[in-house]
Amino acid sequence: MSAISEELRTEQFVLSLRGVLPYVYEHAWQSVLDGTTLTRTALRPGPDGRLRRALRPDARFRLQIVDWRATRAEVQDARLAERLAGESATGLPLDRAPLMCATLIRRSDRNWTFAWRYARELMDRRAGLRVLEEVAEAYAVLLCGGTPRGAAAPPAGATAKGATATGAARAVGPSGARPVGAVGSRPVGAVAR
C-alpha cells in the first residue's frame, strides 16, 4: 500500500432492502452516477505531493451482486461483518476509477443488504446521502416503467477535499428502506464499532 492510499478516508453505507430487483437497482445507480464525473474520477499525486483528480472517460459504476441464500442467517451476519472490515482495511485503488465499490447481497428470497463505500476525496457524507436519495428516486421511476432523469452534475456537496457534513440527514432507499448502519468516515484500516 502506498503512503497515499494509507491516507485515503472512506465513507461506508450499509442498507437493508426488501424485495429489490437487482438489475433495476443497478440501472438506477448507473442513471444517477454515469452522467457525473463521480464514476470517472481517479486520484494521482501532483508534483507537490497533493492528490489531483484525473478523469477516466471509460469508467462506469458496477454493482457486484452475490447470493448468500444457501447460508444460515448467523453465518451471513458474520460473513458481512468480515467483508465490511476487509473492504475498509484494503482501501480503494486511487489510480482506478470509480473510487467506490458497491455490493448487493441477497440474504433471503425478499431480503437484501446493500453495501456502498466511496473515497471521501470524491465527495462528503452529505453528498453521499444525496446520491442514495437520487438512486431511490431513479429506482422508483424505473419500477413504474419510466426513464429517470440523468444527473447532469455531481450532487450538491461533492468536493475535492471532502468537507465534513453536519446534521443528521436520513437516506431513503428503495421501498422506503433506511440505512441499517451508516459507518462514518474513518481512515482506511480503522474498524468502526
Side-chain angles (χ1 to χ4, degrees):
M1 224 191 267
S2 71
I4 294 170
S5 62
E6 289 173 353
E7 296 174 37
L8 183 65
R9 296 168 57 97
T10 61
E11 286 284 352
Q12 188 172 55
F13 292 94
V14 178
L15 293 96
S16 179
L17 307 173
R18 285 188 60 84
V20 75
L21 299 173
Y23 298 105
V24 176
Y25 195 60
E26 180 177 28
H27 186 103
W29 274 90
Q30 288 172 340
S31 72
V32 169
L33 292 177
D34 282 351
T36 72
T37 59
L38 293 175
T39 56
R40 296 188 306 273
T41 299
L43 299 173
R44 61 177 176 74
D48 59 357
R50 296 177 60 159
L51 293 177
R52 303 278 187 242
R53 288 178 179 234
L55 292 181
R56 307 283 189 249
D58 58 339
R60 292 195 63 204
F61 174 83
R62 299 275 186 242
L63 178 64
Q64 180 185 15
I65 302 170
V66 295
D67 190 339
W68 288 358
R69 287 179 291 176
T71 309
R72 291 187 329 267
E74 61 274 5
V75 175
Q76 289 180 10
D77 292 341
R79 198 181 207 186
L80 179 62
E82 183 179 299
R83 182 185 192 114
L84 295 175
E87 283 181 357
S88 292
T90 304
L92 293 167
L94 296 176
D95 58 345
R96 282 189 271 155
L99 290 173
M100 62 179 72
C101 61
T103 306
L104 186 60
I105 303 166
R106 189 165 199 171
R107 310 274 307 257
S108 70
D109 287 342
R110 299 227 359 109
N111 297 320
W112 297 78
T113 297
F114 175 71
W116 177 46
R117 186 168 56 98
Y118 61 86
R120 289 273 299 171
E121 285 78 4
L122 188 61
M123 66 183 136
D124 63 15
R125 184 175 180 82
R126 183 175 294 166
L129 289 167
R130 181 66 193 138
V131 167
L132 288 172
E133 291 170 357
E134 289 180 13
V135 168
E137 292 167 9
Y139 182 76
V141 168
L142 287 167
L143 285 178
C144 294
T147 303
R149 61 178 173 81
T159 63
K161 300 222 182 225
T164 58
T166 58
R170 301 223 23 186
V172 178
S175 306
R178 300 248 184 242
V180 170
V183 181
S185 63
R186 60 186 185 271
V188 172
V191 178
R193 299 277 176 210

